[in-house]
Amino acid sequence: MSEPPKASPLPTPVLFFDGECGLCHRSVAWFQRHDRRRVFRYAPLQGETYAAMPEPGPTDLSSMVVVDERGLWTESDAVIAGLRAIGGGWALVAGLGRLVPRFLRNGLYRFVARRRLGWFGPADACNLPGEADSLLP
């Protein structure tokens, strides 16, 4: 069993993503559309905000990272933390996702992550919609 993540020094939940990946940009756009309460901020893993984190996260750009009041989450746990944070029916989906063993969830996550650039192309193929104030450097 893994240790619980450490608490975040950031004031709001932040979803970090690979700023050069088309799938990652599409995922952020999906979260922006479904985050009706506007709880999330978004920042690229290659940006200043991620580099300035007091507790460094993973350096592998193939993982989405969510930092919230409960800690730092990666891979499928980041997706689940993100769904939980936007709430509504998505929190139920997150709860159901937790029932799937982590090794299976992360195995599928890594399978897609390794192929994401070939399947979805680079980030310049799509733009992030939404309010500029939700994007951090």
Side-chain angles (χ1 to χ4, degrees), residues 75-85 90 93-95 97-98 105:
E75 297 183 327
S76 65
D77 287 334
V79 175
I80 288 171
L83 293 173
R84 185 182 144 274
W90 298 111
V93 172
R98 300 263 327 147
R105 290 186 278 125

Side-chain angles (χ1 to χ4, degrees), residues 4-133:
K6 295 182 180 177
S8 167
L10 297 172
T12 61
V14 179
L15 188 151
F16 292 100
F17 60 97
D18 179 356
E20 299 174 1
C21 165
L23 173 61
C24 302
H25 274 242
R26 286 176 178 92
S27 298
V28 168
W30 185 92
F31 272 97
Q32 286 178 321
R33 278 193 315 276
H34 292 88
D35 182 10
R36 294 198 169 98
R37 296 178 295 135
R38 303 287 180 241
V39 297
F40 266 112
R41 308 284 271 181
Y42 305 89
L45 290 164
Q46 300 91 331
E48 298 169 22
T49 304
Y50 193 69
M53 296 258 305
E55 294 286 330
T59 56
D60 179 13
L61 298 180
S62 69
S63 179
M64 175 190 297
V65 176
V66 169
V67 177
D68 64 15
E69 73 282 353
R70 297 178 311 138
L72 184 144
W73 307 94
T74 61
E75 297 183 327
S76 65
D77 287 334
V79 175
I80 288 171
L83 293 173
R84 185 182 144 274
I86 61 176
W90 298 111
L92 176 63
V93 172
L96 293 172
R98 300 263 327 147
L99 297 175
V100 177
R102 182 179 286 134
F103 79 92
L104 290 175
R105 290 186 278 125
N106 284 345
L108 178 60
Y109 187 99
R110 291 177 192 133
F111 177 81
V112 173
R114 281 191 300 272
R115 292 158 178 82
R116 72 192 193 285
L117 294 174
W119 289 350
F120 297 94
D124 58 60
C126 57
N127 292 330
L128 287 176
E131 300 171 30
D133 64 346

